[in-house]
Structure formats: structure tokens, C-alpha cells
Amino acid sequence: MRKEAERAIALCRAIATCSEEPGRITRRYLAEPVHAVHALLRARMAALGMSVRVDAVGNLRGVWMGRPAHAKRLLLGSHIDTVPDAGAFDGVLGVALALEFVEIARKEKLAVNIEVVAFSEEEGVRFGVPFLGSRAIAGKFDVELLALRGTDGVSVEEAIRNFGLRPEEIAQADSHPELDGFFEVHIEQGPVLESEDLSIAVVESIVGQTRGEMRFAGTANHAGTTPMRLRHDAMTAAAEWMLAVEKFVIEAKGLVATTGKIEVEPNAGNVIAGRVGVTLDLRAAQDESRVEALKALIGIGYEIGKRRGVSVEWHSKLDQSAVPMDERLTALLGASLEACGYPDRVMTSGAGHDAMVLAARTPTAMLFLRSPGGVSHHPGENVRVEDVEAALHVGKDFLRRFSSAIR
Ligand code: GLV
Ligand code: MN
Ligand code: MN
């Protein structure tokens, strides 16, 4: 399936040119270039005979009714938003491959109807809360999310309206009640498969994540006239906490934590920082250890603040439990790997995926492809054409098994 693999990679590269920033791939939720991505995907979906719509949260959805309407429906796809200065394949490859699977289902006359979705938001970059697209399809979009504001001052509701959509119709984005499964193909985004010289693996579960912001409020003052002993510096309090977070998770094991973004007021070289917000992204396969670690890290923050005369507040943005994939669909996928001659390697995903939200709505399975160099969330992100071919072979076998298993 070299031709199909190359076509999927070419589509990812074409989508990568739709960016908010010249020379870098940055495509946040419902940013202007998303219109161009939709145009590319629509053209391809139309050529495949799919009916296409954009739901009220901005997910592009193409339906291919290959079989009678009463046949079961499989949802395929992934997300098209990116982190800043991203690579070309995180999320997008899952959409490109979903379209190849429609081609395959058409040619093979498989007894399945397919809905391909390009989820509008998975990364949580624009509003600090991830999975806006999949939440809507899973019927789990809390209307309070509409009031969230990004750093540009625009709310989720305004972003949706500015894109030409109607937020009051979000409830109608909830997936077809007869959905029978979701299958997401995604790059691993880590070094495991490469280290084992494997092309693909079955995902058995996705780690839980906490996201939020620790806000430090001290006293802004003159950098030259305020003696060190009289300062209440929000920046140094935040810095001490960031290092404490790192030390804690290294010692605790089984956890990863990232303090990836800070916002500073007034953000001037000659002013002691008055306010600092530091994001925390905390993940673990075991929910209990993540919840306990969060409690401890918040406590450490309070202790630092008290000692430094800086007030501290934790603002939670996400508390997502670890999610197992569906046993039955995952077993079908494992059987497909074996039938296609690949070792039935099973792994846990350290990255979050739309699959973890859809899993609450419908049986869900996920397939990982090797990430060369283990690089992701970075412009150096890549895929090998042989691994994309492997995903196509296995996906084709899985579609066949799925279509006969549900009859
Ligand atoms: C999504 O890419 C994540 O941050 O896990
Ligand atoms: Mn992704
Ligand atoms: Mn990502």
C-alpha cells in the first residue's frame, strides 16, 4: 500500500502549510487557517462520495454510507489543531489515514458505514482545556466551557461565532446514537517503538492527566530600590515551586510533570513580578498516585508562598482519569497485527488523545505508529512510509474484522 501511504503523508504535509505563523506550524482551535484545512479535507471527502458537515464546535465530519443506513457505524479520525511550532503528523495523520480507510472500505465493499472526523480541538493550547472537539461528539461538552477566555481575550463562544458556527447547536454535535466504535491511529510521540524496532503497537490504555495553573500573587515594586529582604517576589516563588515539582516527580516515580508555560505581570526587566501564573501538566497511569501527587504539590506551593509572603491559588482546568481502551475492539486489533505478521505489542499512551474522551461514549481502540527519533510536539516530528503502510495493512484487516464482528 505504498501509494496510499504516500498519499496520506502528502495530505499531512499539505495541511501543515495551513498555519497561523509563517515558517512554523501553529494551528490553534478555530484559528483562521483551519478554514483552509477544512477545504482540503472537504475536497477529498467529496471525491470519496462522502457527505460533509462542520458541527457547532468545529469538528469536520464526513459520512460514507457504503452500506444500508441500518448497518453499524464506525467513527475514524483524530485532531487537526496543533501545539505552537508543531510537527506535521500529530493528529493529522489519523485523519489522513481515516480517509484511506474509506477508500479501502469502498474498494473492498466492507459491511460498515464510516464517519470520519477531524476533531477541532485536542491540545488545549488556545483555552487551556483540551478535547473540546471530542467532548462535543461524546455528549460531554459542558456549556460553561463557552465562557473560557484565551490569552487574546477571546472566549470559546466568540471563537466559535467568529468561525461562522453557532454555539447554541453544540448539543447536536453529539454522535449518532448508533455509533458502534471509534478507531484512532496516531503517532506514538515517544521513543519506545523505535527503541524496539517496531512499526506499530496496540494502545491498551491512556494515562490520566491533571492540568491547571498555580497563581502566585506577590507585590510588584521597583527593582532598584526594594531591598531583597523586603520583597514579595511572585517570580522567585514560582521558580522555587517549579523546581520543587520536578524534584517531587523524579523521586515519586510513575509520574511526569511539566510546568510548560508562565504568565508574568507586569513582565518587565526592572520590576519585581507582582503576579505569575505557572501551568502544571501532571500525568500518571495510576489515578491514585496522580491525585496524591497533586495534593502534595499544591501543599508545597502554599508552603513556599507562606514563607515568601506571596499568596498562592490553584486553578484546575482538567482532571482526566486514565482510560482503558475497549477490550473487545482491542483484541480484534491485536488479532489484526498478528494476522498481518506484526508482533502484538501492547502499550500505554503517555499522551492524551481524543480516544480517551470517546471511550466513554463508544467502544474505542487505538493504534500507534513509530515516531522516528521519538520526537513530537516539535517541527522535527516525522513518520516512516513503511510504518504508515503497516498501519494501513493492519487497519484494513481491522475494518474487515469489525464489519463481520458486528453483523
Ligand atoms: C496531547 O498531545 C497531549 O498533550 O497529550
Ligand atoms: Mn495528538
Ligand atoms: Mn499533541
Side-chain angles (χ1 to χ4, degrees), residues 79 90-91 122-123 186 189 352-353:
H79 62 100
D90 175 3
E122 184 268 358
E123 299 284 6
H186 202 285
Q189 306 184 272
H353 296 290

Side-chain angles (χ1 to χ4, degrees), residues 94-391:
V95 181
L97 286 177
L99 294 169
E100 295 303 332
F101 291 136
V102 173
E103 288 262 13
I104 288 168
R106 238 164 58 133
K107 256 190 231 145
E108 306 274 320
K109 299 192 170 29
L110 296 180
V112 60
N113 291 316
I114 295 176
E115 177 168 2
V116 173
V117 58
F119 291 105
S120 56
E121 207 287 336
E122 184 268 358
E123 299 284 6
V125 169
R126 186 164 181 189
F127 293 102
V129 175
F131 310 126
L132 297 181
S134 43
R135 281 174 204 248
I137 293 189
K140 291 188 174 299
F141 189 99
D142 183 342
V143 287
E144 284 178 12
L145 290 169
L146 291 172
L148 272 180
R149 283 187 192 277
T151 43
D152 57 2
V154 174
S155 68
V156 172
E157 175 165 2
E158 287 158 357
I160 289 173
R161 287 199 198 285
N162 294 345
F163 197 79
L165 300 168
R166 294 165 52 80
E168 50 280 4
E169 291 171 5
I170 281 180
Q172 292 151 39
D174 192 352
S175 62
H176 196 282
E178 284 159 30
L179 202 61
D180 296 289
F182 174 55
F183 177 48
E184 180 172 9
V185 183
H186 202 285
I187 52 171
E188 178 205 338
Q189 306 184 272
V192 175
L193 291 179
E194 178 157 274
S195 72
E196 296 177 14
D197 197 21
L198 294 176
S199 289
I200 47 177
V202 174
V203 177
E204 67 176 346
S205 68
I206 304 177
V207 299
Q209 340 180 356
T210 296
R211 293 200 208 181
E213 188 182 42
M214 195 63 131
R215 294 187 190 156
F216 297 85
T219 312
N221 209 337
H222 198 289
T225 61
T226 318
M228 296 308 286
R229 67 189 163 81
L230 296 180
R231 293 179 179 214
H232 302 288
D233 186 336
M235 184 77 98
T236 50
E240 186 179 341
W241 184 67
M242 289 158 78
L243 290 173
V245 168
E246 184 185 56
K247 183 165 183 287
F248 183 96
V249 298
I250 289 171
E251 286 170 3
K253 301 206 169 59
L255 293 159
V256 288
T258 305
T259 47
K261 181 182 169 196
I262 64 170
E263 276 177 46
V264 182
E265 283 177 30
N267 205 19
N270 61 347
V271 185
I272 298 162
R275 287 177 184 278
V276 174
V278 181
T279 59
L280 174 69
D281 177 314
L282 178 67
R283 306 188 190 198
Q286 305 301 327
D287 289 327
E288 215 173 278
S289 58
R290 178 176 52 86
V291 169
E292 274 173 20
L294 179 65
K295 224 186 278 167
L297 294 175
I298 293 172
I300 291 170
Y302 285 145
E303 185 276 313
I304 292 169
K306 196 164 161 210
R307 187 162 27 82
R308 290 173 169 272
V310 168
S311 74
V312 175
E313 254 178 42
W314 168 251
H315 291 256
S316 177
K317 293 206 164 172
L318 178 74
D319 176 11
Q320 167 71 58
S321 302
V323 175
M325 296 292 96
D326 179 71
E327 255 177 49
R328 191 175 137 263
L329 278 199
T330 299
L332 280 189
L333 188 56
S336 293
L337 261 80
E338 277 185 21
C340 295
Y342 299 99
D344 184 9
R345 175 71 164 94
V346 169
M347 60 187 293
T348 297
S349 171
H353 296 290
D354 298 300
M356 70 195 304
V357 178
L358 262 297
R361 180 77 171 85
T362 191
T364 295
M366 238 192 131
L367 181 72
F368 266 177
L369 270 83
R370 159 169 42 197
S371 285
V375 174
S376 185
H377 282 186
H378 184 275
E381 190 177 272
N382 209 347
V383 287
R384 289 169 47 163
V385 68
E386 303 78 27
D387 298 342
V388 177
E389 275 189 273

